[in-house]
């Protein structure tokens, strides 16, 4: 009896053996190569390269991290990694053999063109800003220019041009302190007297490396400022330091203090997630949080700013705002520092 059972089992095994061998040939024992192939180039991390030298915000790293945290919560298994890099790394994107990021954050003028970038939708930002990215970048944070005015002192000055802040170009749009605005009402305090002759003009604006320091010391009647300087002056006033001053937005609205986001061409999955992250940065929640980090919204979201920061925010919402384009060298002082777009001379007192 036992012999017959043994023979029967051997017959069953022999009948099944071809099927077992066929299945073994089709199903790999080691599936790691398939997994590696499926996820090649994608680790679950969205990589952003941000220009480390942008001075438009007080601490925008905190803002990006806050927005990224909400994005990661809504996208299980996806993480956002921000790396701060030099201008050269962004300018040579994809040319060095180093794996490019999924997104880049940069100021106007750093990149000559949009090579290697994907078209993006800028319809969420205000109309005056929508075209500034050329269809390949979207401004996600904004800053501006204006005058800090001390009516008890004389003279007006702008700082020397910097790599990413073209003060001379901004001053041309701001006009001389006290000039009427191009539209709406004159934002300058009535009866303001800077101690300058009634025929004061743009040629009487000085260029001083220490313009803000002289203003803080009470030795200057007006100094051109961005939101960074406004924050510093506000903090000094809260501490009972510095002069009595007011903020004047200026005659016209111009800014090169914008931070643009662009999506780098790459894997379809990461590109789609990058577009979603851009939407996250442009959400009302993230845009309204910008003022806490020294910048202003680029959308219609309320900023929550107060005092002089609210004045600058409103000025930047003007339909006549001129924003420096994302691509090209027109606003990049670094590339041609000797060729000033506008010339200013020392203040010459009347004899």
């Amino acid at each position: 009896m036992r012999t017959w059972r043994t023979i029967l089992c051997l017959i069953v095994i022999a009948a099944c053996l071809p099927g077992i061998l066929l299945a073994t040939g089709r199903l790999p024992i080691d599936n790691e190569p398939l997994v590696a192939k499926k996820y090649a180039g994608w680790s679950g991390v969205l990589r952003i390269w941000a220009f480390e030298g942008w001075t438009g915000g007080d601490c925008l790293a905190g803002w990006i991290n806050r927005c990224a945290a909400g994005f990661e919560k809504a996208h299980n298994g996806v993480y956002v990694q921000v790396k701060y890099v030099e201008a050269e790394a962004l300018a040579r994107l994809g040319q060095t053999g180093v794996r490019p990021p999924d997104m880049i954050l940069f100021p106007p003028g750093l990149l000559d063109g949009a090579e290697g970038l994907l078209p993006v939708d800028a319809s969420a930002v205000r109309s005056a800003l929508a075209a500034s990215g050329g269809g390949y970048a979207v401004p996600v944070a904004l800053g501006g220019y204006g005058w800090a005015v001390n009516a008890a002192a004389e003279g007006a000055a702008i700082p020397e041009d910097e790599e990413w802040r073209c003060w001379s170009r901004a001053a041309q749009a701001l006009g001389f302190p006290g000039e009427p605005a191009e539209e709406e009402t004159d934002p300058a305090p009535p009866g303001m007297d800077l101690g300058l002759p009634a025929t004061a003009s743009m040629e009487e604006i000085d260029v001083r490396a220490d313009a803000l320091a002289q203003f803080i010391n009470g030795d200057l009647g007006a100094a051109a400022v961005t939101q960074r300087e406004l924050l510093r002056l506000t903090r000094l006033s809260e501490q009972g330091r510095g002069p009595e001053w007011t903020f004047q937005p200026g005659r016209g609205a111009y800014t090169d203090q914008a931070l643009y986001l662009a999506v780098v061409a790459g894997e379809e999955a990461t590109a789609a997630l990058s577009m979603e992250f851009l939407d996250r940065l442009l959400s009302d929640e993230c845009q309204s949080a910008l003022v806490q980090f020294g910048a202003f919204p680029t959308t219609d979201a309320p900023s929550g700013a107060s005092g002089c920061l609210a004045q600058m925010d409103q000025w930047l919402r003007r339909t006549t705002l001129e924003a420096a384009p994302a691509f090209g060298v027109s606003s990049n002082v670094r590339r041609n520092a000797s060729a000033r777009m506008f010339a200013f001379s020392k203040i010459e007192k009347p004899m």
Side-chain angles (χ1 to χ4, degrees), residues 3 16 29 37 86 99 106 137 141 146 154 174 180 296 305 307:
T3 303
C16 295
I29 297 176
K37 181 178 180 181
E86 297 179 352
R99 178 190 169 196
F106 61 99
E154 298 182 355
L174 291 174
F296 302 104

Side-chain angles (χ1 to χ4, degrees), residues 163-207:
E163 288 185 348
W164 308 105
R165 295 200 290 181
C166 191
W167 293 95
S168 55
R169 174 64 182 88
Q172 180 69 17
L174 291 174
F176 197 83
E179 283 188 318
E182 291 178 345
E183 62 178 32
E184 301 175 7
T185 59
D186 181 1
M192 181 177 63
D193 181 8
L194 299 180
L196 294 169
T199 57
S201 63
M202 293 297 293
E203 286 71 26
E204 294 175 81
I205 296 177
D206 195 2
V207 179

Side-chain angles (χ1 to χ4, degrees), residues 7 13 25 38 44 50 59 63 79 83 114-115 127 139-140 147 158 161 179 186 230 256 272 278 280 302 310 329:
I7 294 173
I13 292 173
K38 180 178 180 181
C59 186
W63 176 71
Y79 301 92
K83 179 181 179 181
E115 291 79 11
S127 59
V140 295
W147 291 108
I158 61 172
D161 283 341
E179 283 188 318
D186 181 1
L230 282 184
D256 57 10
L278 170 60
R280 168 67 180 168
V329 299

Side-chain angles (χ1 to χ4, degrees), residues 55-60 142-144 148 165 212 216 225-239 241 245 247 289-296 305-310 312:
T55 57
D58 194 25
C59 186
L60 278 184
L142 199 63
R165 295 200 290 181
L212 182 64
I216 292 174
V225 294
T226 67
Q227 68 284 350
R228 289 183 65 200
E229 289 73 30
L230 282 184
L231 285 168
R232 182 179 176 185
L233 289 170
T234 299
R235 290 163 183 163
L236 287 174
S237 296
E238 291 172 350
Q239 299 168 7
R241 300 165 57 192
W245 63 280
F247 175 68
L290 275 167
V291 72
Q292 302 173 38
F293 300 91
F296 302 104
S306 60
C308 59
L309 292 176
M312 178 171 282

